Amino acid sequence: MNRGIVESSDGVTLVAGGPVRARDLQAALRIAPVLVAADGGADRALALGAEPVAVVGDFDSITDGARARLAGRLHPVPEQESTDFDKALRSVDARFVLALGVLGGRVDHELAALSTLARQTGAPCVAIGKEDVVFAAPARLRLALKVGDRLSLFPMAAVTGTSRGLVWPIDGIGFAPGGRIGTSNRVEAGGVDLAFDGPGMLVILPRARLGAALAGLALT
């Protein structure tokens, strides 16, 4: 495991190989100014005018041009048991990570990224997409949202929990992959409290609520 390839007392923006909007990259870098790329994410970053301080992956996607431009910043991890996003995330020792290019592309890549988010035990990571932000729920979470906001819960493991402030409370529900899920719930009160009996639950919020997600995770 390549821990500590990039170390930061602040946040890290991690760009993977999926779709990345320029405005999302700029917004992420304002919050998490250290830029890291996962394999072909280096080309995404360079195309948007940003140079990562490190590139991590098995390097089956990065172009020769990006390799040459970022020589000295390439950190190969040749094992094939994990994705490049997983490799890069494990290699970052930071306060938190904002991940771009993991949502909205190929479905298999997106599912793999969500699986990685649910298993992540290092720095908290929030994935940013065009429509949504996604993160793994801690044992307890309080979110300052707006009445009517969409809040979805998607289990990547068997999880139960409690809620306050949702139109449809989750108390007593057994969530599980292939079983009960919690998409398209709505915020009934501005302060939403969630608690879970174990790891494995993903929280999905509108993209505009990135700040609320970071505040709820005590990252701002």
Side-chain angles (χ1 to χ4, degrees):
M1 189 176 293
N2 294 281
R3 290 193 182 278
I5 287 175
V6 176
E7 298 182 357
S8 174
S9 59
D10 206 340
V12 164
T13 295
L14 173 58
V15 175
V20 179
R21 297 189 300 178
R23 64 182 180 181
D24 286 338
L25 179 57
Q26 293 163 2
L29 288 172
R30 286 194 292 270
I31 301 168
V34 179
L35 180 61
V36 175
D39 204 343
D43 288 276
R44 293 282 189 185
L46 291 173
L48 294 173
E51 288 200 4
V53 300
V55 185
V56 181
D58 60 16
F59 295 160
D60 63 353
S61 300
I62 188 172
T63 63
D64 290 341
R67 284 177 185 265
R69 184 167 172 180
L70 299 172
R73 288 175 268 182
L74 306 178
H75 301 272
V77 182
E79 56 89 357
Q80 296 293 314
E81 299 302 314
S82 62
T83 64
D84 290 317
F85 174 54
D86 195 345
K87 292 179 178 72
L89 198 55
R90 296 193 326 251
S91 300
V92 170
D93 182 3
R95 187 160 166 254
F96 65 96
V97 176
L98 300 182
L100 300 170
V102 298
L103 302 176
R106 280 176 46 178
V107 172
D108 54 347
H109 287 172
E110 185 168 351
L111 287 171
L114 294 176
S115 178
T116 295
L117 279 182
R119 298 193 314 269
Q120 173 65 10
T121 58
C125 180
V126 179
I128 301 172
K130 181 179 179 181
E131 301 291 338
D132 306 291
V133 294
V134 186
F135 57 92
R140 294 187 177 277
L141 177 68
R142 182 172 178 82
L143 296 167
L145 300 169
K146 294 184 178 181
V147 173
D149 276 348
R150 168 177 52 85
L151 187 153
S152 292
L153 299 171
F154 198 95
M156 303 296 283
V159 183
T160 61
T162 61
S163 68
R164 299 293 180 272
L166 294 179
V167 172
W168 297 284
I170 67 170
D171 304 48
I173 295 175
F175 294 97
R180 187 70 177 270
I181 60 175
T183 56
S184 298
N185 209 326
R186 292 284 170 182
V187 174
E188 186 175 52
V192 173
D193 292 288
L194 299 169
F196 300 97
D197 67 346
M201 182 65 83
L202 296 178
V203 180
I204 306 170
L205 298 175
R207 167 66 181 81
R209 299 296 173 258
L210 172 61
L214 294 175
L217 293 168
L219 304 180
T220 58

